[in-house]
Amino acid sequence: MKKQDSPIDIDLWQNGLPNTNGMEAQGYDDKKNNFKPSIRVYLPKASQQPARAVFICPGGGYGHLAMAHEGYDWAPFFNEQGIAAIVLKYRMPNGNREVPMSDAYEAIRYAKEHASEWNINPDCIGIMGFSAGAHLASTVATHASEELRPAFQILFYPVISMESKYGHGGSCRQFLGERATEELKKEFSNEYQVDSLTPRAFIALSDDDRGVVPMNSIRYYSALKEKEIPAAMYIYPSGGHGWGMKDSFKFRNEMLMELKAWLMTF
């Protein structure tokens, strides 16, 4: 397969959207956080063996997207490991949880359909997310049908819970709406949704994160271990919330080395 000279940009839902967040009539405009659902595919250098791939879901409280340091900036790191990086630009839920979920599922379906063309292994596609994007990633990891469930998950300072005690209030309101029932909150508190099909996980966060409390990660890690799912969790002493690929994150080099080492374990 020829090496791609530049990323491949693909619009999702070219035959029409399956649902709405009520914003489409305004016209897509990234500056207004009205995102056109799409993926940007960064393929590694050509190899004889099909590559692994990872979907990247930027965060932003389900209200905006940090497309650079929680998205595009990660492509070189994965490509250097021989892994395809696919950055997902998903629509904001605006109270309709089905909107970002369906965008993620469609992106995975599309990648599997084009796996041969892109020289990726359709059975080795993982998902990664940051903050609310990590809630979307963990939702896919715990709620997707078996054929769309990812092979692994990478979660940075993740929103896991929708419950008021641990959850991030803004993400919950955006994802579930203002009047979500306790039953619905529990359904999308993903520490309760781990099962034997949940993929292995890498989790990284800062101890002093006040945006999304560390108990989100701890409870998810505990749920994974109860089901004997392989998982690694790294809690850095400082850094707060939202560091992604930023050079200003004090433990950036350590985090990248630990992620690289984890990716070599399977």
Side-chain angles (χ1 to χ4, degrees):
M1 180 177 178
K2 295 189 296 182
K3 179 182 180 297
Q4 298 289 327
D5 294 325
S6 62
I8 308 165
D9 286 315
I10 296 159
D11 290 336
L12 300 174
W13 306 118
Q14 294 179 24
N15 294 322
L17 296 171
N19 45 40
T20 179
N21 58 10
M23 299 171 67
E24 291 85 7
Q26 302 172 23
Y28 294 117
D29 186 344
D30 286 6
K31 293 181 180 179
K32 295 181 179 179
N33 300 316
N34 187 9
F35 300 103
K36 187 176 187 179
S38 62
I39 55 175
R40 180 170 291 181
V41 184
Y42 297 83
L43 297 175
K45 292 181 180 178
S47 64
Q48 290 185 336
Q49 296 296 323
R52 285 188 286 178
V54 60
F55 275 94
I56 303 174
C57 305
Y62 282 127
H64 67 278
L65 294 176
M67 293 301 301
H69 69 283
E70 293 180 351
Y72 304 136
D73 293 351
W74 283 84
F77 168 81
F78 284 106
N79 284 176
E80 286 166 8
Q81 321 306 318
I83 299 171
I86 307 174
V87 181
L88 173 65
K89 183 181 286 187
Y90 56 94
R91 292 171 295 153
M92 299 297 91
N94 202 24
N96 183 358
R97 63 190 181 278
E98 297 296 334
V99 168
M101 289 173 62
S102 63
D103 288 352
Y105 292 151
E106 175 64 8
I108 294 170
R109 185 204 64 76
Y110 190 97
K112 286 178 176 284
E113 186 178 276
H114 290 80
S116 178
E117 176 188 343
W118 295 344
N119 195 32
I120 63 175
N121 184 339
D123 297 322
C124 291
I125 298 174
I127 195 163
M128 167 174 161
F130 302 79
S131 193
H135 181 264
L136 179 59
S138 65
T139 298
V140 172
T142 54
H143 289 71
S145 59
E146 190 169 354
E147 62 269 22
L148 293 180
R149 195 165 290 205
F152 57 92
Q153 54 182 320
I154 301 169
L155 309 176
F156 286 94
Y157 37 88
V159 175
I160 294 293
S161 181
M162 294 278 109
E163 295 182 326
S164 56
K165 185 175 181 180
Y166 302 112
H168 181 253
S171 296
C172 180
R173 287 189 297 274
Q174 290 286 346
F175 188 68
L176 296 179
E178 295 283 352
R179 300 180 180 179
T181 64
E182 292 304 312
E183 182 180 10
L184 190 61
K185 289 179 181 179
K186 187 170 183 178
E187 182 181 350
F188 289 98
S189 293
N190 294 326
E191 69 270 32
Y192 298 119
Q193 307 306 327
V194 173
D195 61 23
S196 61
L197 294 178
T198 302
R200 67 180 66 230
F202 175 99
I203 306 168
L205 64 149
S206 294
D207 182 63
D208 63 350
D209 190 337
R210 292 179 176 83
V212 176
V213 296
M215 285 304 296
N216 279 264
S217 295
I218 293 166
R219 286 164 61 84
Y220 194 59
Y221 175 83
S222 295
L224 292 165
K225 298 322 297 176
E226 286 178 8
K227 295 294 185 181
E228 299 183 347
I229 306 297
M233 183 168 65
Y234 297 88
I235 305 177
Y236 301 104
S238 63
H241 188 77
W243 28 265
M245 188 56 94
K246 289 181 178 177
D247 290 335
S248 58
F249 178 47
K250 183 178 180 180
F251 302 98
R252 178 179 181 273
N253 290 339
E254 290 88 344
M255 175 269 294
L256 292 175
M257 286 190 295
E258 283 151 357
L259 178 55
K260 180 179 178 180
W262 180 79
L263 288 164
M264 294 173 65
T265 64
F266 61 95

